[in-house]
Amino acid sequence: MSKEVATTITLMDRKMLTLAANGKSAVEIAEATGVAPEAAILRVKELIGSRNVWDNVERENLLLNSVYELKERLEKNFDAVMGDPKLLENYRKTLEMLGKQLEVRSQINEVDLMRVSEAHARKMIALINSGYYAARKRLAMEYPDIDLSVIDEAFNSGMGDAVAELESEISSDA
């Protein structure tokens, strides 16, 4: 299957995939999209056969959308749900599934945020080190008699003070 299939998904393709994911038949997909049943089923199979139909966020959003739709349908018939233990259990399970998915999404977002923060910290440290060593080299060339250990000590002391100040700000914010 060509990679082109995965990168050229239209709104119609997404609609067909969503309908198929919700168990609709080829005829039902055709009625909803105006595409011939055979063409619709072929296109859905083609899209599914391409490995990157949806990225993780899109898959997660589709799942959440389906759970919200189920919740909405159950709530529209709330009187029937309350009177039927089986429907009530389905409603409870739907809410539980929605809660779990939102919790997973929150945890993923926290993990992603931590990764980004760590990457930024590494880049910031690399930038500081690069700037410091460039300045140190320039000072050594312009002032050959200077004791570089004094500059190193001043820099390390300043960095220690900056870290202490930052930690103080963080603890006062918490």
Side-chain angles (χ1 to χ4, degrees):
M1 194 58 43
S2 74
K3 208 169 189 170
E4 185 178 324
V5 171
T7 59
T8 59
I9 294 177
T10 66
L11 290 174
M12 182 65 74
D13 291 338
R14 287 192 186 283
K15 185 173 184 177
M16 285 190 282
L17 284 167
T18 301
L19 290 166
N22 287 316
K24 301 298 180 189
S25 70
V27 171
E28 291 169 315
I29 294 171
E31 288 171 358
T33 62
V35 175
E38 299 79 18
I41 236 20
L42 180 63
R43 183 64 179 154
V44 167
K45 285 183 179 189
E46 199 174 66
L47 291 165
I48 291 171
S50 67
R51 296 184 61 127
N52 299 318
V53 174
W54 294 296
D55 64 24
N56 289 339
V57 172
E58 289 172 322
R59 274 193 286 278
E60 195 174 291
N61 285 336
L62 284 169
L63 175 62
L64 280 173
N65 184 55
S66 294
V67 174
Y68 275 121
E69 284 179 8
L70 178 59
K71 178 182 169 281
E72 185 178 313
R73 278 185 279 169
L74 289 168
E75 286 174 349
K76 279 183 182 176
N77 300 313
F78 201 70
D79 290 336
V81 169
M82 292 304 290
D84 184 340
K86 205 174 205 179
L87 287 176
L88 192 57
E89 179 62 14
N90 286 340
Y91 183 67
R92 184 194 66 74
K93 286 180 180 178
T94 300
L95 292 177
E96 187 177 284
M97 185 185 316
L98 190 54
K100 284 180 183 177
Q101 192 61 33
L102 291 172
E103 184 179 324
V104 165
R105 174 178 267 189
S106 170
Q107 290 170 352
I108 289 171
N109 289 341
E110 288 175 24
V111 168
D112 289 342
L113 181 60
M114 191 60 116
R115 282 186 190 136
V116 168
S117 296
E118 288 170 357
H120 284 163
R122 284 190 297 276
K123 290 291 184 183
M124 193 72 122
I125 289 168
L127 178 67
I128 291 167
N129 278 333
S130 179
Y132 173 71
Y133 285 107
R136 188 177 191 275
K137 182 178 178 181
R138 185 172 175 187
L139 286 170
M141 287 187 340
E142 287 185 33
Y143 306 98
D145 297 335
I146 196 165
D147 183 2
L148 291 177
S149 66
V150 172
I151 295 171
D152 292 340
E153 189 177 312
F155 176 78
N156 289 330
S157 175
M159 289 303 291
D161 292 346
V163 167
E165 186 179 325
L166 181 62
E167 287 174 347
S168 174
E169 286 177 18
I170 291 171
S171 65
S172 70
D173 288 345

